Amino acid sequence: MDAESARRAAKRPPAGPRGETNYVRVANRLREEIIGGILKPGEWLRMSAVAARCGVSVQPVREALQQLEGEGLIEIFPNRGARVRGIDRQRLIHAHQIGEALEGYLAKQFAEEASLSDIRKLEALQKAHDEALDGEDWPGIEAANDAFHRFINAHGGNMEAIAIIVRFYGLSHSLQDWYGRAPRYIERVRREHHDLLDAFLRRDPDAAAAIGSRHVRGTLEDILSVIDEADSKPSTG
Amino acid sequence: MDAESARRAAKRPPAGPRGETNYVRVANRLREEIIGGILKPGEWLRMSAVAARCGVSVQPVREALQQLEGEGLIEIFPNRGARVRGIDRQRLIHAHQIGEALEGYLAKQFAEEASLSDIRKLEALQKAHDEALDGEDWPGIEAANDAFHRFINAHGGNMEAIAIIVRFYGLSHSLQDWYGRAPRYIERVRREHHDLLDAFLRRDPDAAAAIGSRHVRGTLEDILSVIDEADSKPSTG
DNA sequence: AAGTGGTCTAGACCACCTT
DNA sequence: AGGTGGTCTAGACCACTTA
């Protein structure tokens, strides 16, 4: 007896115990697995396999996949199948250009509109980042870095812009384990965060925009150099 | 006999004559109708009705709707239904902020990288815009304006950024019939296009970025003032 | 020519709302 | 309770790829 039959025989708790439907649950699960790197870029998603894994029929899976394609996470080839969208060099560059434009804009907006107490809160977040850096606490570094940028970006309340940025970070998230530990990268991030804070305290929107943009551009350059290095000597495990 | 039965009885031209599947066709059709303003913001989409209208069963419609939700065009409430996403004031502002950031960035990039012959082509596009303006040829004005901006934005080849901008223009597209004909708006657009061209010819990326951003911001301000005006005296038909 | 796997339909099921 | 309309499953169908 397979998992599905067992589930169906087990009375009737399968369909949404709460307000959740199956296709939403499947979409959430696949989204997490893609962003978390469990499902690798380029990997094919066979619908019947996903359906079996989630204990549902194929149709809710199809709907989840359609949603994820709309979000840009996978690509569906009609009558062929679906696979996790790869991140080639071009797409990485484009994503970071978008991030450059948006994070520059949002940093400028923060410089114009943030209160002094907002800036103090941001300083506290950066203090946590500095401490994680000093302790070489890698998960802590990533969390503190995310918190720092999220505080700036979310300040104006533009949820749509944040969604775009989050999606773009999600893209390169699976790469962070590679490039994220280079000492030069780490120290550039620390310095630029402090430069940003200075610009905010000086109330200098143009400087904040320039630093915010350059911050993202620097990340792209670091990633590309790590990729190129790995390409030239693929022996390194 | 209903339309669906008739279609199925008619031999076998229903399923994709080419490489097109039904859910793709339905998604494209709904997307066009939403962006084109045929389906109004806030309107509910009953799945069985859409299915009947497109001559398919309800399931391809569901998949199309999931995709459109992923793209942000509609919102789906599980077990309730789907409706075209409304554009409230907040969302309009947020969309234009994103456009401001991206179009500024792309104008800067164009100023840095475009060849002289590219700029000459852009001048020709603006000449067409000017002539449409002088002739008060409203469809021509809109087409020429789109062509002008598309030429700048597409120059760097960042398809993802263009997709975001197109989506954001699609949002306010249905409003253009209202605000688009105000003489002051029209003349501002003409002047700023020429300012952009000047900045490109001077090879001044920073000026191009500033003008490109202000161009979008000006559009937002015009739209908001028209909306506020309509709000304060709703008698105008 | 068979196999694999995506697509579509019909109908059952069930959540939510109305009476 | 009944109605409306969204959701799910099973199986048929078909496009595309193997021999």
Side-chain angles (χ1 to χ4, degrees):
Chain A
M1 178 184 284
D2 59 13
E4 188 179 346
S5 306
R7 180 187 57 75
R8 298 220 311 154
K11 267 261 271 310
R12 195 55 47 77
R18 295 168 291 283
E20 247 181 351
T21 57
N22 279 344
Y23 66 85
V24 172
R25 197 176 359 259
V26 174
N28 290 340
R29 175 167 175 179
L30 290 178
R31 193 183 294 108
E32 272 178 33
E33 292 185 349
I34 291 172
I35 292 177
I38 298 172
L39 294 172
K40 302 264 185 298
E43 184 168 342
W44 286 92
L45 300 169
R46 280 197 306 292
M47 296 177 179
S48 51
V50 176
R53 215 155 52 86
C54 298
V56 298
S57 129
V58 76
Q59 209 61 44
V61 174
R62 288 182 59 75
E63 295 178 20
L65 292 178
Q66 294 296 343
Q67 172 121 17
L68 296 179
E69 180 176 48
E71 294 175 16
L73 285 174
I74 68 172
E75 46 191 349
I76 298 177
F77 304 91
N79 281 314
R80 299 295 307 279
R83 71 174 169 199
V84 182
R85 255 184 108 168
I87 33 176
D88 56 3
R89 189 187 184 84
Q90 275 299 80
R91 220 170 149 234
L92 205 61
I93 293 173
H94 292 164
H96 279 79
Q97 287 176 345
I98 293 168
E100 204 180 317
L102 290 178
E103 296 227 35
Y105 179 89
L106 293 172
K108 178 176 187 171
Q109 195 177 36
F110 187 91
E112 288 168 344
E113 299 178 359
S115 70
L116 185 58
S117 87
D118 288 330
I119 300 176
R120 295 294 175 214
K121 279 181 200 158
L122 190 64
E123 281 182 320
L125 291 175
Q126 181 52 29
K127 189 146 177 284
H129 189 223
D130 287 338
E131 284 165 5
L133 283 168
D134 292 337
E136 298 194 344
D137 167 19
W138 302 111
I141 291 171
E142 190 179 322
N145 183 56
D146 283 355
F148 182 85
H149 287 292
R150 202 180 312 115
F151 189 81
I152 297 171
N153 294 336
H155 185 263
N158 190 333
M159 309 299 290
E160 288 83 358
I162 293 169
I164 293 171
I165 292 173
V166 165
R167 189 176 303 174
F168 125 75
Y169 270 130
L171 269 186
S172 53
H173 194 275
S174 53
L175 298 173
Q176 284 199 348
D177 287 338
W178 301 26
Y179 76 84
R181 320 235 146 146
R184 259 164 309 180
Y185 168 74
I186 289 302
E187 286 311 316
R188 175 181 62 74
V189 170
R190 185 206 295 260
R191 175 166 34 82
E192 291 177 347
H193 282 201
H194 284 279
D195 289 346
L196 257 184
L197 280 168
D198 288 345
F200 292 150
L201 283 168
R202 276 185 285 121
R203 299 289 181 186
D204 188 340
D206 291 331
I211 296 166
S213 289
R214 273 196 52 201
H215 190 52
V216 177
R217 189 187 300 230
T219 303
L220 173 63
E221 286 165 1
D222 284 346
I223 293 176
L224 290 181
S225 71
V226 170
I227 289 176
D228 291 341
E229 209 168 304
D231 270 358
S232 59
K233 41 177 177 179
S235 59
T236 310
Chain B
M1 180 183 281
D2 59 13
E4 190 177 344
S5 306
R7 181 188 56 75
R8 298 220 311 151
K11 266 260 272 311
R12 193 56 47 76
R18 294 170 293 281
E20 248 182 350
T21 56
N22 279 345
Y23 66 86
V24 172
R25 198 176 359 260
V26 173
N28 290 339
R29 175 168 175 177
L30 290 178
R31 194 183 294 108
E32 273 178 33
E33 291 186 349
I34 292 171
I35 291 178
I38 297 173
L39 294 172
K40 302 265 185 299
E43 184 169 341
W44 286 92
L45 299 170
R46 281 199 306 292
M47 296 178 179
S48 52
V50 176
R53 214 154 53 86
C54 299
V56 298
S57 130
V58 76
Q59 208 61 45
V61 173
R62 288 182 60 74
E63 295 178 20
L65 292 177
Q66 294 295 342
Q67 173 121 17
L68 295 180
E69 179 176 49
E71 295 174 17
L73 284 174
I74 68 171
E75 46 191 350
I76 298 177
F77 305 90
N79 280 315
R80 300 294 309 279
R83 71 174 171 198
V84 181
R85 257 185 105 168
I87 34 176
D88 57 4
R89 190 187 183 85
Q90 275 300 77
R91 221 173 148 233
L92 205 61
I93 293 173
H94 292 165
H96 279 79
Q97 287 176 343
I98 293 168
E100 204 179 317
L102 290 178
E103 296 226 36
Y105 179 88
L106 293 172
K108 178 175 187 171
Q109 196 177 35
F110 187 91
E112 288 168 345
E113 299 178 359
S115 69
L116 185 58
S117 85
D118 288 331
I119 301 176
R120 293 298 174 210
K121 280 181 200 158
L122 190 64
E123 281 182 320
L125 290 175
Q126 181 53 29
K127 191 149 177 281
H129 189 223
D130 286 338
E131 284 165 6
L133 283 169
D134 293 336
E136 297 194 343
D137 167 20
W138 302 111
I141 291 170
E142 190 179 323
N145 183 56
D146 284 354
F148 182 85
H149 287 291
R150 202 180 313 117
F151 190 81
I152 296 171
N153 294 336
H155 185 263
N158 190 332
M159 310 296 292
E160 288 83 358
I162 294 170
I164 294 171
I165 292 173
V166 165
R167 189 176 303 174
F168 126 74
Y169 270 130
L171 270 185
S172 52
H173 195 275
S174 54
L175 299 174
Q176 284 199 349
D177 287 338
W178 302 24
Y179 75 84
R181 320 238 143 147
R184 259 164 310 180
Y185 168 74
I186 289 302
E187 287 310 317
R188 177 181 61 74
V189 170
R190 185 207 294 261
R191 175 167 33 80
E192 291 177 347
H193 282 201
H194 284 279
D195 289 346
L196 258 183
L197 278 168
D198 288 345
F200 293 150
L201 283 168
R202 277 186 282 121
R203 299 288 181 186
D204 188 338
D206 290 331
I211 297 166
S213 289
R214 273 195 52 200
H215 189 52
V216 177
R217 189 187 299 229
T219 303
L220 172 63
E221 286 165 0
D222 284 345
I223 293 176
L224 290 180
S225 70
V226 170
I227 290 175
D228 291 341
E229 209 168 302
D231 270 358
S232 59
K233 41 176 176 178
S235 58
T236 309

